Amino acid sequence: MGSGPGVGSYTGADAGSGGEPGDRPGGRPSSRSGAGPGGDPGSGPGSGASNGPGGGAAGEGSVRVDSWIWSVRLAKTRSAGSAACKGGHVRVNGERVKPAYGVHVGDEVRVRQAGGRERIVVVKRLIRKRVGAPVAVECYVDNSPPPPPREAVAPAGIRDRGTGRPTKRDRREMDRLRGAEG
């Protein structure tokens, strides 16, 4: 049982409508042909052409701000970085930015994090992929104010095993030790 060209097996240029080697069997060009919607080879998918301020490769001088703050570990996840941008918690050179905004070397990025702490960093190197903490620190200059000192909280009264619930007197002593009023 033999099968001719175009019946059951695709062997490249001799199958389908007899088009070019990059064509699909149905005569349509493949999506990897390099041509974009207008037939321009420089505007196709994966061509590296920039459609906005955040497009382009790292070598071209800009990276998306949500991707960069995730890459240098200022945001736990990429979507958290994007949400921070959408919520107005990220500023580049004093302006609120959208997630696709392109950051450049030398830009000042301010990220407001949970707990009210604001991180102020200057972009030293552009990266797209998340890296380890030692490498991430080399990608920016940290100008953030030092975090406020943590309050020294007395440990919650540790009781001996089997002593049961604290009495009213014990509870008042614990409150007095903690400095709680009321």
Side-chain angles (χ1 to χ4, degrees):
M1 205 159 62
S3 64
V7 180
S9 68
Y10 174 63
T11 58
D14 55 4
S17 64
E20 296 180 16
D23 288 354
R24 289 186 174 166
R28 297 182 317 231
S30 70
S31 62
R32 296 181 181 222
S33 65
D40 179 18
S43 65
S47 65
S50 175
N51 290 337
E60 292 180 10
S62 72
V63 175
R64 286 177 59 113
V65 67
D66 62 340
S67 176
W68 188 81
I69 64 175
W70 166 74
S71 299
V72 297
R73 297 177 169 266
L74 294 176
K76 202 167 194 176
T77 62
R78 165 96 184 258
S79 59
S82 180
C85 292
K86 289 176 185 172
H89 302 296
V90 178
R91 293 176 179 265
V92 177
N93 299 326
E95 296 181 23
R96 287 185 178 180
V97 293
K98 293 182 178 180
Y101 184 86
V103 291
H104 303 276
V105 173
D107 285 349
E108 181 189 69
V109 179
R110 292 174 174 253
V111 180
R112 200 169 0 150
Q113 295 178 327
R117 183 169 182 218
E118 185 176 36
R119 297 287 303 269
I120 304 167
V121 297
V122 177
V123 180
K124 204 160 92 173
R125 195 170 98 196
L126 298 175
I127 57 174
R128 286 177 178 260
K129 300 289 182 183
R130 191 167 172 95
V131 292
V135 179
V137 172
E138 297 172 1
C139 296
Y140 59 85
V141 178
D142 196 353
N143 295 334
S144 305
R150 291 188 177 190
E151 296 177 9
V153 177
I158 298 173
R159 298 176 53 84
D160 294 330
R161 188 176 175 98
T163 56
R165 245 176 106 176
T167 63
K168 192 171 194 175
R169 181 179 178 184
D170 293 339
R171 184 182 52 78
R172 286 182 177 160
E173 285 179 12
M174 287 189 288
D175 288 346
R176 189 171 32 83
L177 287 172
R178 287 189 195 127
E181 297 179 18

